[in-house]
Amino acid sequence: MTVWDDLVGQTRVSEQLAAAARDADALVTAAASDAPPPEASKMTHAWLFTGPPGAGRPQTARAFAAALQCVSPDRALGSAPGCGFCDGCHTALVGTHADVTTVAAVGTQILADDMRDTVRKSFTSPANGRWQVILVEDAERLNEKSANAVLKAVEEPAPRTVWLLCAPSLEDVLPTIRSRCRHLNLSTPSVEAVADLLIRRDGIEPEIAAAVARATQGHVDRARRLATDERARARRAAVLKLPLRIEDIGGCLRAAQELVDAATEDSRQLAEEVDTKETEELRAALGAAQGGRMPRGTAGVMKELEDRQKRRRTRTQRDSLDQALTDLTGFYRDVLALQFGSRVALANMDAEDTLERLARGSTPESTLRRIEAIAACRDALDRNVAPLLAVEAMTMALRAG
């Protein structure tokens, strides 16, 4: 098993990164022996991974980070970096390597405060690895100040520092940053490849794996969650019933409220586990006795943690809503396919009766307007419109058609 084995449908990108990792290995070896560096190297100091949701941008970047930190003795015999078994590969893949720093948005944005220590670390030499790797999972969420901090670090990086930025598209990253990065675009994995991964790596039954891979249209993480989480399947089933519940204004408002409530409950359940653990760990680190009062002067630290947790809950709610909107878009895409008599495979085969009913009862033009209403709702949420107002406007538009 190599670090590239779990990357689904990204053979071309894996080959490019493997070549860069070999050149990076040669650069480190040359520096250690005072030999001249290779003349034509495929390695560079900053990379930008783009691609649609589910393509595996963070997973690809982390696999590359593992290959850069590979310390397998087999490399001396000519094997490529990225064995997947050595300490460098393993700790980089699981997120515990001292020289691989991961930055992800806690809330809807990555703030300058979130990047300050990371940017400072990027200018230091590796502690015990071969490279200092900074992985930014949500580069599209950098705000103006944090993006400027990253720009300064990418413009003049330390000799053994590598920046790995992940974003949906080039347009989501500042032109000044993306112009200094080598760009790799990932493609959506095929439904068959995702199903094969779920069967091979997760032990999912073939019939279930094929169904969830088709339902998520090649999104590996969502397919895995649908296959293993009963709550996720129930939420998706409820979303797919929404088009039948908006026949009057009252139904529109109830459906919107239930959709927002489900997203809020989802974020609450996810936050409870993480927040409690974080709070207890911080209290212990600050010297508070279990169940006792906090030491003096620590209120500010606890308040900072609470603010970060609140931002994370907001983001989780928005992500849950976005998932519901994605499912809804896929539903109406299937309706449109039936209306045009397309031979494209339906994503929502489990709701085929409902799809055919709506396809017969409406026109392609109204279906397109409904898809546009869902996109408008997503845009409104990105502009921080109150979730309930945005979803109510969408359900009313879906009813109007």
Side-chain angles (χ1 to χ4, degrees):
M1 170 185 154
T2 69
V3 297
W4 317 109
D5 284 354
D6 282 345
L7 304 186
V8 185
Q10 309 300 341
T11 304
R12 176 185 57 82
V13 171
S14 298
E15 290 173 351
Q16 290 178 277
L17 293 176
R22 286 193 294 270
D23 286 353
D25 196 53
L27 288 171
V28 174
T29 302
S33 60
D34 293 328
E39 292 184 3
S41 175
K42 296 180 176 64
M43 182 60 185
T44 188
H45 70 285
W47 299 76
L48 175 57
F49 300 87
T50 64
R57 299 184 300 263
Q59 292 83 352
T60 303
R62 190 166 294 282
F64 184 40
L68 294 177
Q69 305 292 14
C70 183
V71 293
S72 169
D74 291 341
R75 289 196 349 272
L77 304 176
S79 68
C83 66
F85 292 103
C86 70
D87 184 65
C89 286
H90 175 71
T91 54
L93 289 174
V94 300
T96 58
H97 197 291
D99 294 317
V100 178
T101 302
T102 302
V103 180
V106 175
T108 56
Q109 293 183 336
I110 299 178
L111 305 180
D113 289 344
D114 300 330
M115 291 299 303
R116 186 176 295 113
D117 292 339
T118 301
V119 170
R120 188 181 300 116
K121 185 177 181 180
S122 74
F123 290 106
T124 64
S125 299
N128 51 29
R130 303 171 69 78
W131 293 87
Q132 185 75 261
V133 181
I134 311 296
L135 197 169
V136 183
E137 291 189 355
D138 308 293
E140 75 279 9
R141 295 180 186 264
L142 291 165
N143 65 15
E144 183 178 358
K145 290 183 178 179
S146 57
N148 287 334
V150 170
L151 174 60
K152 293 177 182 177
V154 171
E155 280 181 325
E156 300 177 1
R160 296 265 290 279
T161 294
V162 182
W163 283 83
L164 310 178
L165 309 178
C166 303
S169 69
L170 282 172
E171 290 69 26
D172 291 312
V173 181
L174 282 179
T176 47
I177 293 179
R178 65 180 187 240
S179 66
R180 290 163 173 80
C181 299
R182 183 166 299 169
H183 175 224
L184 289 179
N185 186 50
L186 280 65
S187 58
T188 301
S190 68
V191 170
E192 294 75 18
V194 173
D196 178 69
L197 178 70
L198 294 176
I199 296 168
R200 177 169 45 89
R201 305 291 289 175
D202 299 282
I204 306 299
E205 292 293 329
E207 185 177 345
I208 296 176
V212 297
R214 186 172 57 248
T216 56
Q217 292 295 285
H219 194 301
V220 179
D221 292 337
R222 290 175 182 170
R224 181 179 285 116
R225 188 175 183 190
L226 270 183
T228 58
D229 187 345
E230 187 176 346
R231 291 183 305 178
R233 292 195 294 272
R235 281 193 297 272
R236 177 175 174 273
V239 170
L240 297 186
K241 291 178 182 177
L242 185 144
L244 298 178
R245 301 174 54 212
I246 52 176
E247 295 180 352
D248 54 40
I249 294 177
C252 291
L253 299 181
R254 284 192 297 272
Q257 184 68 64
E258 289 173 11
L259 201 61
V260 173
D261 288 345
T264 303
E265 177 64 16
D266 191 31
S267 64
R268 186 191 65 78
Q269 290 175 349
L270 292 174
E272 274 185 353
E273 305 172 4
V274 180
D275 291 358
T276 301
K277 182 180 177 182
E278 281 183 346
T279 302
E280 291 304 321
E281 287 178 351
L282 182 58
R283 286 175 60 87
L286 294 174
Q290 188 170 5
R293 296 181 62 182
M294 293 292 297
R296 283 188 175 183
T298 59
V301 180
M302 293 301 298
K303 179 65 166 58
E304 183 179 345
L305 175 62
E306 291 170 1
D307 290 342
R308 187 164 67 247
Q309 291 173 341
K310 182 178 179 181
R311 286 191 285 131
R312 184 169 58 206
R313 283 193 294 272
T314 299
R315 182 195 169 180
T316 304
Q317 183 195 33
R318 299 291 172 89
D319 288 348
S320 182
L321 275 175
D322 189 71
Q323 172 60 58
L325 297 180
T326 299
D327 290 337
L328 205 53
T329 302
F331 179 90
Y332 281 111
R333 170 258 190 196
D334 285 348
V335 172
L336 193 63
L338 289 174
Q339 289 172 330
F340 281 120
S342 171
R343 295 185 179 181
V344 174
L346 299 181
N348 301 285
M349 291 294 294
D350 51 341
E352 189 171 5
D353 291 343
T354 304
L355 292 171
E356 290 180 349
R357 174 182 167 184
L358 289 179
R360 291 192 301 267
S362 62
T363 64
E365 291 79 10
S366 63
T367 303
L368 285 172
R369 286 194 292 270
R370 287 173 172 130
I371 292 175
E372 290 172 355
I374 299 170
C377 179
R378 183 176 278 117
D379 289 341
L381 292 173
D382 286 341
R383 297 194 304 271
N384 289 323
V385 173
L388 184 57
L389 291 178
V391 177
E392 284 178 347
M394 179 196 72
T395 55
M396 295 292 286
L398 293 178
R399 174 178 176 267

